[in-house]
Amino acid sequence: MYTQAMDTAPKDATPAVRSADEAALQTRFDARIDAGEFIEAKDWMPAHYRKTLIRQISQHAHSEIVGMLPEGNWITRAPTLKRKAILLAKVQDEGGHGLYLYAAAETLGVSRDELLEALHSGQAKYSSIFNYPTLTWADVGTIGWLVDGAAIMNQVPICRCSYAPYARAMIRICREESFHQRQGFDALLTMMQQGTDAQRAMVQDAVNRWWWPCLMMFGPPDDQSPNSAQGMRWGIKRISNDELRQKFVDATVEQARVLGVSLPDPALQWNAARGHWDFGAIDWSEFWQVVGGEGPCNRERLSARVNAWQAGAWVREAAMAHAQKHTIQQEAA
Ligand SMILES: [Fe+2]
Ligand SMILES: [Fe+2]
């Protein structure tokens, strides 16, 4: 879902010395990017472009599977059978998104095991939003409405990413994300319109807790996001962090009004001159703290992932043994 941490990795060094052949390939690559062409897995690409994509796509894949955890916690406690079925399907979708994205990353010459090892060792990043806890059922609806809503804003432009396997994966993912957003909004609307005062208060409390972390999902401000310019140049990133954040605020204010919840920002105000909603200052120290591993649930999420990986070892081994047996049987036939 979630690409917020993309701008937070250190800049890679670009090799200074290149052969004449490589310089010609680079010129051709730049021309293709400028012409808006897609790059396929077998095409020549600069090492830095490849490395940046591996980092971005794998961080995105990690975010999908870590994102299963906060909501997965609520599957056994969903209030009705209908909500349980919806939540099961949504969490399963997120697992599928992870698989499409790991597959897209593998086309760049990295193995899934290497990527997972980087996640489990704490080397790789995933979206910080999943390091916040889901305290009540209203958090599940709020994640659908706001977190998936912010993810859609972030991800629709990636459907036009210059790297074709990533762009293709994103088209499918975005279709499913829009269902996620709507189911979240629908769950909250039911609580707001048909619920008790206590349920309405629960929704408001969840919105109060998720609003600011959701604004942080778009990444640091443009002037503090040094890798963004290169991402734009390569057609990996199409719209800047601040522009995406503004689009999200503009779209969400009206939805909050329909729901009947307030957004926890006294500075939120329509600016007729700009044609956008103004909003208050984001506490970036909180963002950097969570990115740095000190969020409320960083340790819990990572250990849940590592435990799941270790507990699932026998399934992987059995699947490999089965595949091997199948191959031997086929060769013998
Ligand atoms: Fe997703
Ligand atoms: Fe989603």
Side-chain angles (χ1 to χ4, degrees):
M1 253 154 131
Y2 322 84
T3 51
Q4 145 273 119
M6 303 317 136
D7 299 322
T8 59
K11 256 186 159 176
D12 301 305
T14 313
V17 184
R18 282 192 309 232
S19 68
D21 282 355
E22 213 172 303
L25 286 165
Q26 174 82 54
T27 306
R28 164 96 187 100
F29 174 85
D30 290 343
R32 291 186 64 191
I33 294 282
D34 291 344
E37 283 181 36
F38 285 105
I39 307 299
E40 291 288 349
K42 286 183 178 161
D43 295 341
W44 185 90
M45 63 187 82
H48 190 195
Y49 176 83
R50 184 185 298 276
K51 206 169 165 185
T52 301
L53 276 167
I54 290 174
R55 190 176 65 225
Q56 174 162 340
I57 300 172
S58 62
Q59 285 181 0
H60 193 163
H62 299 329
S63 303
E64 298 285 353
I65 62 168
V66 175
M68 298 167 77
L69 301 171
E71 289 183 288
N73 280 340
W74 280 90
I75 291 173
T76 53
R77 292 174 288 167
T80 65
L81 183 59
K82 176 183 150 187
R83 294 290 171 201
K84 188 194 282 271
I86 292 170
L87 185 57
L88 264 173
K90 179 187 192 280
V91 171
Q92 191 172 314
D93 280 354
E94 307 298 7
H97 297 172
L99 293 182
Y100 308 155
L101 290 165
Y102 284 121
E106 282 179 306
T107 64
L108 291 158
V110 65
S111 77
R112 195 172 302 194
D113 282 351
E114 282 174 75
L115 298 176
L116 287 171
E117 170 55 29
L119 171 66
H120 296 156
S121 67
Q123 244 182 297
K125 299 267 183 246
Y126 55 85
S127 178
S128 290
I129 196 74
F130 301 118
N131 290 317
Y132 289 86
T134 40
L135 303 180
T136 69
W137 172 251
D139 288 50
V140 174
T142 306
I143 288 178
W145 175 41
L146 294 180
V147 176
D148 287 275
I152 293 167
M153 222 38 116
N154 247 330
Q155 291 175 10
V156 166
I158 308 176
C159 297
R160 292 183 290 121
C161 161
S162 62
Y163 187 57
Y166 190 23
R168 283 192 288 268
M170 289 317 302
I171 291 169
R172 200 163 159 182
I173 289 173
C174 283
R175 285 191 189 130
E176 293 178 349
E177 296 298 358
S178 68
F179 277 104
H180 296 175
Q181 200 260 356
R182 277 183 273 171
Q183 67 80 34
F185 187 84
D186 179 69
L188 296 183
L189 196 62
T190 303
M191 289 174 84
M192 292 303 290
Q193 292 187 343
Q194 297 165 35
T196 62
D197 283 348
Q199 285 171 316
R200 278 187 281 276
M202 199 188 276
V203 174
Q204 184 62 59
D205 173 64
V207 171
N208 291 349
R209 284 181 288 106
W210 288 94
W211 175 249
W212 290 105
C214 282
L215 293 193
M216 296 174 198
M217 280 177 71
F218 298 94
D222 294 345
D223 57 4
Q224 292 161 40
S225 180
N227 291 333
S228 279
Q230 182 64 79
M232 292 270 201
R233 171 71 191 83
W234 278 332
I236 297 174
K237 193 169 176 64
R238 298 285 187 186
I239 306 179
S240 82
N241 296 355
D242 286 334
E243 271 180 274
L244 287 167
R245 191 166 11 247
Q246 182 71 63
K247 272 164 76 92
F248 175 71
V249 172
D250 290 347
T252 310
V253 168
E254 174 59 16
Q255 294 167 6
R257 195 191 59 77
V258 173
L259 271 182
V261 294
S262 62
L263 296 172
D265 180 359
L268 199 63
Q269 200 174 5
W270 176 248
N271 183 325
R274 289 201 311 123
H276 292 291
W277 285 86
D278 287 337
F279 53 94
I282 294 170
D283 177 5
W284 289 108
S285 64
E286 176 183 324
F287 172 79
W288 291 113
Q289 196 181 334
V290 182
V291 169
E294 297 301 323
C297 299
N298 293 54
R299 282 171 194 82
E300 185 185 330
R301 299 291 182 241
L302 204 55
S303 76
R305 267 303 316 158
V306 172
N307 289 343
W309 178 252
Q310 287 168 350
W314 70 272
V315 180
R316 292 190 298 279
E317 282 162 20
M320 291 301 284
H322 178 75
Q324 229 166 9
K325 195 172 87 182
H326 197 67
T327 312
I328 292 166
Q329 279 169 349
Q330 271 186 332
E331 280 169 1

